[in-house]
C-alpha cells in the first residue's frame, strides 16, 4: 500500500518535529504546534471560530439536560401504596450560601481570566518593540492573573464538592429523587468542563515558563478566557435553573 | 513562490507516523473508510444470520450454533448499531469527507490535524468497545439500536443487558465524542480554509453536504451523549430518569417515577437528524456524479444548496414521527406529521433537480454513474413510503412491522451504501492512483441493485400483511404461513446480494495494486481534487495554493475549448 501517502519531493525545512504542519496560507495547526508561524492573527481567528462551534455542542448538551429536567419534573408517577398518580419530585434543599460563595469565586475567576487575556494581548503587541536592541519599555506589570484564575477555579470546584457533601448531609444523594440526581449531574458535567479549562490554563502557564514566543501563548490564553467566561455564564444558567425551578 | 516552497513540508517518515497516527487528512480518511469496511462486513454477516434464522429457526449453524430468540435480538441490535454508527456515519462523512473536503476547497489539510487524528482513534476505540459487547457475560444487548428504556435501563431485563448493554452505551458515548470532534473540524475547515476564489456558492455540492452533515452532527450528538449518560446512571447508580416503578420477574425494582418516553424524545431528537447524517453525504456525491457523467451543470445549484439546508433544519423538528405509537397528544402528532410531510418538499426538489440534470444529457454510463443513478432510484423508492408513515393513522398499523424495515433500509441503509459505492468507484483513481475494473464494477452494480430491491421491496408487503418487526420466529405462526415463500425469497436474495459483495472486495484490493494507472483526471471532472497529482501529495497541492475562478459544475460550456472548465482555469473568466 505504498500509494497511501506519497512523499513528494519538496524542500525540507529545518522546522523539525516531523514537519507535519501544512503550509500557509490557510494552513493551521492545533494549539501549541507551529509556533514560528507567521500568521498569528489567522490562527487566533480560527481557534475562536472553533471555540464558538465547540461551545454550540456544549450548549446542546446542557439544553438537552435542561429539557430532561423540566420534563421529568412535571411527570406524575404511579404510587404503589395509594394506587394513584402523585408527584415524586422532591425540591432539593440547596446550600444556598455556599453556592453563592462559589458563584462569587467563579465570577472573580472570570474577571481575572479577562485581565490575563488583556495582559497578554498587551505583551504580544509590545513584543516586537521590546525585541529591538536598546529599546526599554520599563518593566511590564507581570501580575500573575493566569495563576490567580487557576487558583480561583480550583476554589470553585472545591466549593462545589463541599456543596455535594452538604447535600449528602441533608439526605440528598444521587438516587434520592430525580431532582437530586439532576443537581449532581448538572454540577458534575459543568465541573468536568471547568477541569478541562483549568488543564488548558495550566498548559498555558507551563508554556509561559518555557519562554515560548508570546504570540502562541496569547492565542491559548485568549481562547481559554472566552471559554471560561462561557463556563461562568453556563453556571449562572444552571444555578438559576436549580434554584428557581426547584 | 520561493517563499511558499519554504513552507511546503515533506510527509512524515516511518510507518507509525505515516499510516497509524498520521495527521494527514487523506490517511485519516482512508482509516475511517477501512474501519467502515470492516464494520459493514460484520454487520452484513449478522444480517445474514438473522435472515437464516427467520426461515430455518432451529438450524444449528457452524461456528454460531443455534440462534435462540434472544440471540436473534442480539444480532438485530448489533447489526443495526454497527450499520448506523460505524458504517453510515463513518464512511460517507468521516471517510470521504476527510479525504476530499480539504482538497475540494483548496486547503492543505483539515483545520486541526491533531484533533482529526484523535477523532479517528476515538471512533476506533468506540468500535472495539462495541465489538467487546459480543464477548461480555450474557452477550450483546438485545434492546435494538434505539435502546428503548426500560429494557435498556435495567440490568436484569434480559441476557445481554448486563455488561453487554453497558459496553454498548459506553461505545455510543465514545462515538458521540469522536463525532463532535469531527464535526468541529469539518465546520471550521469549510468556514476558514477555503482557497482564494472558493466562495461558499462555488463549493461542490459534496462540500455543502459534508458541511450541513457536520452541523447536524454538532447539534445532535451532544443530545445523544446526555441521553446516554442518563441511561448509564439509571443502570448503574440507581437513579430514575427513565425507569418507572417496574416489576421484573416478580421482583420490584428500586426505581420510581422515571419516564421511558423521555429516552424516546432524547433519542429521536438525535435519531432523526442521524438519518440525514447518513444520507446527506450520499446526496452530495450523487449530485457531483450526476453532473459530471451527464456532462451538464447540476440543475439548480442554488436550489440544491437551499434544499440541503431546509432538510437540515426541518430534520430537527420531526422526531415525533417515530413516536406516534407512544400515546402522544393528537395535536403534537398532527404537528409532527405536517412537519414530516414538509420535508418531502426539499427532498422532492433535490430529486427533480437530479432528474433535470439527466434530462436530455449525453450520459456516460460508467460504474460511478450507475451507482449515482442507483442512489436516486433507491432514494425515490424508499422515500415514497415516507409520507405514508408520516401519517399517524397509517403509521399505527405499519409501525413495528416489516414495512418500516423495508422503508428505512431502502432510503437510509442501502441508499447511503450506494452513495459510498459511487464515491468509491469515482474517487478510487485519485486515492490509489489506479483505476478499478469497469466490468467487475458493472456486474457488482447489477447484482447489488437488483438484489437490494429483491430483499427490501417484498418487506413492504410483509409489513402490510402484518408481519411484525423484531420478532424472531414466524414459521409456526398460522396467519403468517402464506408469507413464508416470500420470506424464503428474501433470504435467498440476501445470500446472493451478500455474495456479490465479494466482487467488490476483489475489485477493490486487486485494483489497488494491479489496476491500470490512472491519469490525474480520468473522469474529466472540474473540481479541485482533479487538478492535483494522483494520488495527491502530502500537502495536496505540492506547495502551491489553488485559486478558484469557476463554479463546480461547468460542463458543456458554450464556447469553451473542452466540454468542461476546471474550477481553477483562469481562462474564460471574462466570457461570463
Ligand atoms: C445485506 C443487507 C442487509 C440485510 C439483509 C439486512 C437485514 C436486516 C434484518 C433482517 C433486520 C431485522 C428486522 C427486524 O426483525 O426488525 C434488520 C434491521 C436493521 N438494519 Fe439491516 N440489513 C441489511 C443492511 C443494512 C444496512 C446497510 C443498514 C444501515 C442503515 C441496516 C440497518 C438496520 C437497522 C438500523 C435495523 C434495525 C435494528 C433494530 O431494530 O434495532 N441494515 N436488517
Ligand atoms: Cu425520522
Amino acid at each position: 500500500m505504498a500509494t497511501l501517502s506519497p512523499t513528494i519531493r519538496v524542500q525540507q525545512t529545518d522546522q523539525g518535529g516531523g514537519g507535519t504542519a501544512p503550509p500557509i496560507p490557510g494552513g493551521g495547526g492545533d494549539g501549541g504546534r507551529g509556533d514560528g508561524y507567521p500568521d498569528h492573527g489567522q490562527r487566533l481567528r480560527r481557534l475562536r471560530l472553533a471555540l464558538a462551534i465547540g461551545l454550540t455542542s456544549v450548549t446542546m448538551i446542557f439544553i438537552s439536560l435542561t429539557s430532561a429536567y423540566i420534563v421529568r419534573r412535571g411527570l406524575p408517577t404511579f404510587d404503589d401504596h395509594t394506587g394513584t398518580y402523585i408527584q415524586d419530585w422532591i425540591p432539593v434543599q440547596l446550600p444556598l450560601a455556599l453556592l453563592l460563595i462559589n458563584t462569587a469565586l467563579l465570577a472573580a475567576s472570570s474577571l481575572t481570566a479577562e485581565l490575563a487575556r488583556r495582559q497578554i494581548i498587551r505583551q504580544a503587541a509590545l513584543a516586537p518593540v521590546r525585541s529591538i536592541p536598546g529599546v526599554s519599555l520599563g518593566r511590564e506589570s507581570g501580575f500573575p492573573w493566569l495563576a490567580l484564575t487557576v487558583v480561583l477555579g480550583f476554589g470553585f470546584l472545591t466549593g462545589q464538592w463541599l456543596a455535594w457533601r452538604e447535600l449528602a448531609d441533608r439526605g440528598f444523594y444521587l438516587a434520592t429523587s430525580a431532582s437530586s440526581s439532576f443537581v449532581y449531574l448538572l454540577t458534575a458535567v459543568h465541573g468536568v468542563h471547568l477541569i478541562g479549562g483549568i488543564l488548558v490554563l495550566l498548559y498555558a502557564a507551563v508554556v509561559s515558563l518555557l519562554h515560548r514566543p508570546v504570540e502562541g501563548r496569547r492565542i491559548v490564553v485568549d481562547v481559554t478566557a472566552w471559554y471560561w467566561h462561557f463556563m461562568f455564564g453556563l453556571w449562572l444558567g444552571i444555578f438559576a435553573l436549580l434554584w428557581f425551578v426547584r | 513562490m520561493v517563499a511558499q516552497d519554504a513552507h511546503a513540508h515533506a510527509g512524515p517518515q516511518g510507518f507509525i507516523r505515516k499510516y497509524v497516527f498520521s495527521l494527514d487528512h487523506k490517511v485519516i480518511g482512508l482509516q475511517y473508510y477501512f474501519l467502515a469496511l470492516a464494520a459493514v462486513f460484520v454487520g452484513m454477516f449478522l444480517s445474514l444470520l438473522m435472515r437464516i434464522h427467520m426461515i430455518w429457526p432451529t438450524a444449528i449453524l457452524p461456528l454460531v450454533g443455534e440462534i435462540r430468540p434472544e440471540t436473534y435480538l442480539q444480532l438485530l441490535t448489533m447489526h443495526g448499531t454497527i450499520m448506523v454508527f460505524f458504517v453510515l456515519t463513518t464512511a460517507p462523512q468521516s471517510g470521504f469527507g476527510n479525504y476530499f473536503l480539504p482538497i475540494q476547497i483548496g486547503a492543505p489539510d483539515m483545520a486541526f490535524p491533531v484533533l482529526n487524528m484523535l477523532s479517528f482513534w476515538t471512533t476506533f476505540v468506540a468500535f472495539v468497545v462495541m465489538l467487546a459487547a459480543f464477548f461480555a457475560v450474557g452477550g450483546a444487548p438485545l434492546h435494538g439500536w434505539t435502546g428503548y428504556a426500560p429494557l435498556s435501563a435495567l440490568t436484569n431485563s434480559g441476557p445481554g443487558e448486563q455488561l453487554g448493554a453497558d459496553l454498548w452505551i459506553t461505545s455510543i458515548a465514545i462515538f458521540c465524542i469522536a463525532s463532535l470532534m469531527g464535526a468541529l473540524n469539518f465546520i471550521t475547515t469549510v468556514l476558514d480554509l477555503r482557497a482564494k476564489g472558493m466562495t461558499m456558492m462555488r463549493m461542490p455540492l459534496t462540500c455543502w453536504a459534508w458541511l450541513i452533515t457536520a452541523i447536524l452532527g454538532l447539534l445532535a450528538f451532544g443530545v445523544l451523549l446526555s441521553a446516554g449518560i442518563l441511561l448509564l446512571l439509571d443502570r448503574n447508580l440507581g437513579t430514575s430518569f427513565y425507569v418507572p416503578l417496574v416489576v421484573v420477574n416478580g421482583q420490584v425494582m428500586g426505581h420510581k417515577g422515571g419516564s421511558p418516553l423521555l429516552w424516546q424524545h432524547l433519542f429521536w431528537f438525535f435519531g432523526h437528524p442521524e438519518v440525514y447524517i447518513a444520507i446527506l453525504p450520499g446526496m452530495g456525491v450523487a449530485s457531483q456524479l450526476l453532473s459530471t457523467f451527464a456532462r451538464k451543470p447540476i440543475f439548480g445549484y442554488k436550489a440544491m444548496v437551499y434544499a440541503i439546508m431546509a432538510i437540515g433544519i426541518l430534520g430537527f423538528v420531526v422526531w415525533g414521527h417515530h413516536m406516534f405509537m407512544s400515546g402522544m397528544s393528537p395535536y403534537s402528532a398532527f404537528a409532527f406529521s405536517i412537519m414530516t410531510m414538509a420535508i418531502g418538499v426539499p427532498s422532492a426538489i433535490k430529486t427533480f433537480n437530479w432528474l433535470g440534470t439527466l434530462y436530455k444529457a449525453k450520459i456516460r454510463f460508467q460504474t460511478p454513474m450507475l451507482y449515482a443513478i442507483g442512489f436516486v432510484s433507491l432514494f425515490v423508492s424508499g422515500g415514497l413510503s415516507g409520507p405514508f408513515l408520516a401519517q399517524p393513522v397509517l403509521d399505527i398499523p405499519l409501525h413495528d412491522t416489516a414495512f418500516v424495515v423495508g422503508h428505512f433500509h431502502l432510503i437510509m441503509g442501502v441508499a447511503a451504501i450506494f452513495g459510498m459505492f459511487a464515491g468509491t468507484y469515482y474517487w478510487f483513481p485519485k486515492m490509489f492512483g489506479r483505476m478499478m475494473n469497469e466490468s467487475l464494477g458493472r456486474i457488482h452494480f447489477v447484482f447489488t441493485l437488483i438484489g437490494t430491491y429483491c430483499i427490501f421491496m417484498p418487506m413492504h408487503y410483509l409489513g402490510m400483511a402484518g408481519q411484525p418487526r423484531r420478532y424472531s420466529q414466524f414459521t409456526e405462526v398460522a396467519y403468517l404461513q402464506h408469507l413464508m415463500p416470500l420470506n424464503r425469497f428474501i433470504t435467498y436474495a440476501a445470500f446472493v446480494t451478500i455474495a456479490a459483495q465479494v466482487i467488490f472486495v476483489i475489485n477493490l484490493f486487486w485494483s489497488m495494486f494491479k489496476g491500470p494507472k490512472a491519469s490525474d483526471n480520468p473522469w474529466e471532472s472540474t473540481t479541485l481534487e482533479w487538478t492535483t497529482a494522483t494520488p495527491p501529495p502530502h500537502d495536496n497541492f505540492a506547495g502551491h495554493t489553488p485559486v478558484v475562478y469557476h463554479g463546480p459544475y461547468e460542463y458543456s460550456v458554450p464556447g469553451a475549448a473542452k466540454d468542461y472548465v476546471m474550477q481553477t482555469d483562469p481562462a474564460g473568466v471574462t466570457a461570463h
Side-chain angles (χ1 to χ4, degrees):
Chain A
M1 259 192 255
T3 48
L4 278 185
S5 173
T7 313
I8 46 137
R9 287 163 50 74
V10 285
Q11 235 168 293
Q12 277 284 5
T13 60
D14 51 3
Q15 233 171 337
T20 42
I24 51 148
D30 295 53
R33 288 193 321 117
D35 290 323
Y37 232 72
D39 201 343
H40 287 285
Q42 190 188 43
R43 261 167 60 81
L44 178 63
R45 205 190 56 216
R46 180 170 304 162
L47 274 168
R48 280 183 179 171
L49 175 67
L51 178 75
I53 298 168
L55 290 180
T56 313
S57 69
V58 174
T59 309
M60 282 311 287
I61 292 179
F62 281 93
I63 287 181
S64 49
L65 290 177
T66 306
S67 45
Y69 181 96
I70 291 167
V71 168
R72 179 68 182 77
R73 179 172 174 271
L75 277 182
T77 177
F78 187 75
D79 182 49
D80 49 332
H81 299 300
T82 59
T84 54
Y85 281 92
I86 54 160
Q87 293 285 342
D88 73 334
W89 184 272
I90 310 169
V92 179
Q93 295 156 21
L94 293 173
L96 184 61
L98 187 51
L99 289 182
L100 284 174
I101 295 173
N102 290 349
T103 310
L105 282 177
L106 197 57
S109 76
S110 189
L111 187 70
T112 54
E114 182 62 19
L115 292 172
R117 194 179 76 84
R118 298 195 173 179
Q119 179 186 45
I120 200 153
I121 290 177
R122 218 166 32 246
Q123 284 172 4
L126 291 178
V129 185
R130 198 179 290 279
S131 63
I132 303 171
V135 174
S136 161
L137 288 169
R139 272 184 56 81
E140 169 79 16
S141 72
F143 193 84
W145 292 118
L146 210 54
L148 192 56
T149 310
V150 173
V151 170
L152 287 170
F154 273 121
F156 173 81
L157 287 177
T158 318
Q160 294 290 80
W161 183 70
L162 289 175
W164 281 9
R165 295 261 311 256
E166 182 65 30
L167 279 176
D169 285 347
R170 296 180 185 189
F172 287 99
Y173 299 95
L174 178 67
T176 304
S177 160
S179 52
S180 62
S181 310
F182 273 112
V183 172
Y184 283 101
L185 180 65
L186 286 166
T187 47
V189 176
H190 178 255
V192 166
H193 281 89
L194 266 193
I195 291 173
I198 289 182
L199 288 179
V200 180
L201 285 183
L202 284 177
Y203 166 82
V206 170
V207 168
S208 76
L209 293 180
L210 295 178
H211 296 290
R212 289 276 209 84
V214 65
E215 272 296 348
R217 218 160 13 102
R218 172 195 163 196
I219 295 175
V220 178
V221 172
D222 184 280
V223 171
T224 322
W226 287 116
Y227 177 82
W228 201 264
H229 299 332
F230 183 85
M231 283 304 140
F232 174 54
L234 190 60
W235 166 247
L236 290 183
I238 294 172
F239 193 15
L241 178 75
L242 296 181
W243 183 254
F244 293 112
V245 196
R246 271 173 294 169
Chain B
M1 217 52 218
V2 176
Q4 289 216 340
D5 278 351
H7 285 282
H9 294 280
Q13 304 303 318
F15 185 78
I16 301 266
R17 290 296 299 271
K18 209 161 151 186
Y19 296 125
V20 184
F21 295 111
S22 172
L23 300 178
D24 184 335
H25 69 102
K26 296 185 285 301
V27 178
I28 297 174
L30 289 174
Q31 288 174 323
Y32 270 117
Y33 183 85
F34 286 110
L35 176 71
L37 198 64
V40 82
F41 277 97
V42 178
M44 228 164 42
F45 177 65
L46 301 178
S47 72
L48 193 59
L49 294 180
M50 281 190 282
R51 284 309 318 179
I52 292 175
H53 176 75
M54 279 183 164
I55 65 169
W56 299 302
T58 51
I60 311 282
L61 304 176
L63 294 178
V64 186
E66 189 195 348
I67 298 177
R68 281 160 299 152
E70 60 269 28
T71 325
Y72 179 81
L73 292 178
Q74 297 176 325
L75 296 174
L76 172 81
T77 305
M78 296 300 276
H79 163 77
T81 313
I82 288 176
M83 286 295 197
V84 170
F85 290 97
F86 295 99
V87 180
L88 299 192
T89 313
T90 300
Q93 174 78 2
S94 310
F96 288 124
N98 242 313
Y99 200 115
F100 288 105
L101 175 86
I103 311 188
Q104 285 194 334
I105 61 172
D109 203 322
M110 288 294 241
F112 305 109
V114 175
L115 189 70
N116 203 14
M117 178 188 77
L118 280 178
S119 321
F120 170 74
W121 284 105
T122 317
T123 312
F124 182 82
V125 170
F127 187 54
V128 172
V129 173
M130 183 59 71
L131 291 185
F134 277 119
F135 305 100
V137 182
L142 38 68
H143 50 226
W145 88 278
T146 51
Y148 275 11
L151 181 57
S152 61
L154 296 168
T155 45
N156 60 348
S157 58
E161 288 304 311
Q162 298 100 35
L163 183 58
D166 281 323
L167 289 172
W168 184 87
I169 303 166
T170 311
S171 162
I172 300 284
I174 300 173
F175 189 89
C176 289
I177 294 169
S179 302
L180 288 176
M181 296 195 286
L184 170 68
N185 222 339
F186 271 67
I187 301 172
T188 315
T189 305
V190 174
L191 294 185
D192 204 36
L193 268 78
R194 276 169 292 123
K196 192 155 169 267
M198 180 59 83
T199 57
M200 292 297 272
M201 280 304 185
R202 275 186 185 162
M203 290 202 304
L205 287 170
T206 40
C207 296
W208 269 108
W210 287 319
L211 172 67
I212 303 291
T213 305
I215 295 175
L216 294 187
L218 187 80
L219 299 176
F221 275 107
V223 178
L224 183 63
L225 182 60
S226 338
I229 293 173
L230 298 186
L231 193 57
L232 279 175
L233 291 178
D234 265 11
R235 294 174 52 83
N236 298 310
L237 296 174
T239 56
S240 306
F241 295 110
Y242 302 131
V243 194
L245 180 71
V246 277
V247 181
V248 180
N249 297 331
Q251 181 194 349
V252 180
M253 306 304 296
H255 304 273
K256 219 174 181 180
S259 162
L261 288 187
L262 181 57
W263 166 264
Q264 290 195 22
H265 279 293
L266 291 174
F267 181 83
W268 286 115
F269 187 85
F270 148 80
H272 191 81
E274 164 64 25
V275 310
Y276 289 111
I277 291 172
I279 200 71
L280 286 183
M283 290 182 170
V285 171
S287 310
Q288 167 101 0
L289 268 61
L290 290 181
S291 175
T292 304
F293 289 86
R295 314 307 294 167
K296 275 176 65 182
I298 190 86
F299 190 92
Y301 174 88
K302 280 193 179 155
M304 288 304 237
V305 172
Y306 295 133
I308 303 182
M309 290 182 186
I311 290 178
I313 294 168
L314 287 173
F316 275 105
V317 291
V318 299
W319 78 92
H321 64 214
H322 297 274
M323 300 173 60
F324 289 144
M325 297 284 285
S326 69
M328 62 165 48
S329 123
Y331 297 108
S332 357
F334 180 69
F336 281 123
S337 169
I338 295 289
M339 289 300 189
T340 306
M341 289 200 261
I343 281 203
V345 176
S347 311
I349 291 177
K350 296 203 76 88
T351 309
F352 284 119
N353 286 351
W354 287 326
L355 298 181
T357 308
L358 294 177
Y359 182 65
K360 283 194 174 168
K362 290 194 229 36
I363 301 174
R364 297 181 180 170
F365 285 106
Q366 282 151 311
T367 313
M369 181 60 162
L370 295 179
Y371 269 102
I373 297 175
F375 174 93
V376 176
S377 158
L378 288 163
F379 184 72
V380 173
S381 330
L384 283 179
S385 51
F388 290 84
L389 295 169
Q391 300 175 56
V393 279
L394 291 179
D395 183 64
I396 285 172
L398 290 175
H399 188 86
D400 273 327
T401 69
F403 187 93
V404 171
V405 181
H407 160 73
F408 77 72
H409 274 95
L410 283 184
I411 194 159
M412 162 170 96
V414 206
I417 297 271
F418 268 51
M420 284 156 57
F421 280 138
T424 306
Y425 284 102
Y426 175 65
W427 278 312
F428 186 90
K430 188 51 70 178
M431 295 191 291
F432 299 104
R434 292 172 186 274
M435 303 298 289
M436 284 179 86
N437 185 298
E438 197 52 35
S439 313
L440 286 181
R442 283 166 198 233
I443 298 172
H444 173 230
F445 170 75
V446 171
F447 271 102
T448 311
L449 184 78
I450 298 179
T452 310
Y453 271 115
C454 288
I455 299 173
F456 296 112
M457 263 306 176
M459 289 193 187
H460 295 82
Y461 300 105
L462 293 178
M464 284 188 273
Q467 175 168 316
R469 168 189 179 195
R470 292 180 173 168
Y471 277 33
S472 90
Q473 269 174 4
F474 302 106
T475 46
E476 309 292 308
V477 183
Y479 85 98
L480 293 175
Q481 281 314 306
H482 66 291
L483 298 177
M484 282 322 287
L486 206 48
N487 268 316
R488 276 194 291 275
F489 172 76
I490 296 178
T491 300
Y492 300 146
F495 262 116
V496 175
T497 314
I498 290 178
Q501 303 317 307
V502 176
I503 306 174
F504 172 73
V505 176
I506 291 175
N507 197 353
L508 187 73
F509 287 102
W510 183 83
S511 309
M512 218 178 268
F513 300 103
K514 291 273 150 57
K517 280 259 189 292
S519 65
D520 283 351
N521 188 3
W523 314 114
E524 302 187 307
S525 299
T526 52
T527 43
L528 258 57
E529 76 270 34
W530 305 105
T531 63
T532 185
T534 284
H538 176 64
D539 66 351
N540 295 343
F541 298 98
H544 102 116
T545 323
V547 180
V548 176
Y549 299 97
H550 294 274
Y553 301 116
E554 301 201 353
Y555 293 100
S556 310
V557 182
K562 287 175 290 184
D563 97 318
Y564 62 103
V565 182
M566 299 303 283
Q567 284 197 273
T568 49
D569 192 350
V573 181
T574 46
H576 286 259

